[in-house]
Amino acid sequence: MAEKADVVIIGAGLIGLSVAYHLAAKGVRNIMVLEKEASWGQGSSGRSAGGVRLQFGHPSNIKLSQYGLDMYLHFEELFGISASVDQCGYLFLTRDPTRWEKLLQIVAIQQSLGVPVETLSSQEVHYRFPYVQMDALVGATFCATDGTADPGAVAYGFARSCTALGVQIRNNEEATAILTNGGRVVAVKTSDGAISTPIVVNAAGPYARVVGRMIGLEIPVDPYRRQIYVTTPTDALPSRMPMTLEFETTSYLRREGASILFGMSDPDEPSSFNTNTDQSSLAKLVDALVQWVPAMSQASLMRGWAGLYEITPDDSPIIGTVPGIEGIYLANGFSGHGFMHAPGAGRALAELIIGQSPFVDLSPFAFERFTGRRQIEEPFII
């Protein structure tokens, strides 16, 4: 006999836990979250750089960020544990005049939505942030309310609250098949049995495509390795500095206590589930960083790790339903921004599932945009 659930969520990372929490907080009962690992939050959620920023180009992405930052600022009141928000700011740098013109247009959109972002000339950047040494710098955007938070604490807060609200988080239980009948979901098969359910949420992170294929659906989400490194304690850079990102190389760095955390995307690396670090990628990263932060040449490496970005063709998430299959909901492809968008995405999808109007317009994130509709333009991607 199959067990029964009102909702089954596949994936107990930050996205899946947020969906579960928001559903349970809205009165939905008998929610099961399936996690193939030994515990929740062990995948990409536990390997995040912890950035939280309002600086996005698309209004719906901005609104997801605003909800997320507000929740993290009040996380202890809501969940009994601090999210350790540090509003150190986010500084985006560019050497490309064409990109700069586009960023100026986007800043106007951000400011119209209440984002306290400012534009800086190259001279202002060098004066306020002298560790940046970039002769070809055209300009920068800076938002002082952006910053970082603790992904581990957030995952723990969500998981604990989910459990208190009656959600079953079932670790070491992998979804192996999704059963449909007459164009709607009826059950999920797992490594431990079967669960009868009318609603399944795919929150499988980098495994979104694998889960999608269980119902014959090709979800355009692919995993890409992203490596992060931390130096030994150093005073070569300011003790207080923003998350600083350079668009053209996608290299970035920020303070991690007395150390420096840094990373970079590699456009030449193919999609894979590889989560190992390697010296060649590290060498490429360091070479890129010291070109605009020469002081990094004085730092020594302490440790590094790698996680997986779940990338869509337009670097924006898929949130919503699937045409032709009733009961399937997607929360996939956050393209490296799942931590900052998890609270908002969880709330919006929960509202959609229970028949409420989502607080943010989800139409730009529809699955159908990859089958003929116009895709999102989101230039604030690293």
Side-chain angles (χ1 to χ4, degrees):
M1 293 289 291
E3 295 183 85
K4 292 184 178 181
D6 294 326
V7 180
V8 172
I9 299 169
I10 300 175
L14 285 166
I15 300 296
L17 292 174
S18 177
V19 174
Y21 164 75
H22 282 90
L23 281 171
K26 291 177 179 295
V28 178
R29 296 296 175 255
N30 200 11
I31 301 168
M32 296 184 186
V33 184
L34 305 179
E35 174 53 56
K36 66 185 182 65
E37 302 295 341
S39 182
W40 41 261
Q42 288 194 345
S44 297
S45 295
R47 299 165 184 258
S48 168
V52 182
R53 59 179 167 92
L54 304 183
Q55 292 185 77
F56 279 89
H58 195 282
S60 288
N61 277 329
I62 294 170
K63 291 175 182 178
L64 288 179
S65 285
Q66 288 173 322
Y67 181 81
L69 177 58
D70 184 67
M71 175 176 275
Y72 291 160
L73 287 170
H74 297 92
F75 206 73
E76 190 164 11
E77 302 166 35
L78 296 167
F79 296 92
I81 181 173
S82 172
S84 299
V85 176
D86 178 9
Q87 291 182 286
C88 58
Y90 254 73
L91 178 67
F92 281 96
L93 310 165
T94 184
R95 294 174 282 118
D96 184 343
T98 301
R99 186 192 299 273
W100 179 238
E101 291 302 317
K102 181 65 176 177
L103 293 182
L104 290 176
Q105 297 173 25
I106 294 170
V107 164
I109 296 172
Q110 294 169 343
Q111 291 173 338
S112 73
L113 294 172
V115 178
V117 60
E118 56 183 312
T119 58
L120 305 177
S121 68
S122 59
Q123 293 82 3
E124 289 173 311
V125 171
H126 293 146
Y127 177 75
R128 292 174 58 176
F129 308 103
Y131 60 90
V132 175
Q133 299 293 317
M134 189 187 303
D135 292 338
L137 178 64
V138 175
T141 66
F142 177 68
C143 183
T145 60
D146 293 348
T148 64
D150 183 349
V154 170
Y156 177 76
F158 273 139
R160 185 172 66 176
S161 292
C162 281
T163 300
L165 290 167
V167 175
Q168 295 185 51
I169 303 174
R170 300 170 64 146
N171 301 317
N172 284 318
E173 187 166 354
E174 182 175 2
T176 58
I178 299 173
L179 306 183
T180 62
N181 184 25
R184 68 159 300 113
V185 170
V186 294
V188 176
K189 284 188 175 181
T190 80
S191 52
D192 288 354
I195 305 167
S196 173
T197 183
I199 295 175
V200 173
V201 178
N202 180 350
Y207 297 93
R209 189 185 290 268
V210 175
V211 172
R213 285 173 176 165
M214 295 179 186
I215 52 172
L217 185 70
E218 278 300 321
I219 301 175
V221 171
D222 293 304
Y224 286 88
R225 179 178 64 163
R226 294 291 184 264
Q227 299 180 61
I228 298 174
Y229 294 90
V230 177
T231 69
T232 57
T234 178
D235 58 5
L237 281 98
S239 59
R240 183 72 177 166
M241 58 185 289
M243 173 81 90
T244 309
L245 309 94
E246 198 260 332
F247 268 116
E248 281 65 56
T249 63
T250 72
S251 53
Y252 65 86
L253 78 167
R254 66 165 174 82
R255 271 288 171 187
E256 177 74 0
S259 301
I260 299 294
L261 179 148
F262 61 103
M264 183 177 73
S265 301
D266 185 351
D268 298 323
E269 183 166 338
S271 173
S272 75
F273 289 98
N274 179 18
T275 55
N276 297 314
T277 58
D278 66 72
Q279 288 298 314
S280 62
S281 296
L282 174 60
K284 187 185 296 186
L285 165 56
V286 171
D287 182 62
L289 267 180
V290 297
Q291 297 304 312
W292 59 278
V293 188
M296 278 295 289
S297 63
Q298 303 174 37
S300 300
L301 183 67
M302 180 167 63
R303 63 189 178 96
W305 67 91
L308 297 174
Y309 271 21
E310 41 168 329
I311 304 290
T312 63
D314 61 4
D315 297 310
S316 287
I318 305 169
I319 308 174
T321 58
V322 173
I325 309 176
E326 187 178 350
I328 287 286
Y329 293 84
L330 306 180
N332 307 122
F334 287 83
S335 301
H337 308 107
F339 175 52
M340 61 188 80
H341 287 168
R347 174 186 166 182
L349 193 60
E351 289 168 340
L352 184 67
I353 289 171
I354 66 174
Q356 295 180 350
S357 178
F359 81 101
V360 61
D361 179 15
L362 293 181
S363 62
F365 304 136
F367 174 80
E368 301 96 299
R369 75 183 189 270
F370 299 110
T371 57
R373 288 175 49 178
R374 184 178 178 182
Q375 296 180 26
I376 292 175
E377 183 180 1
E378 179 49 79
F380 269 87
I381 296 296
I382 290 289

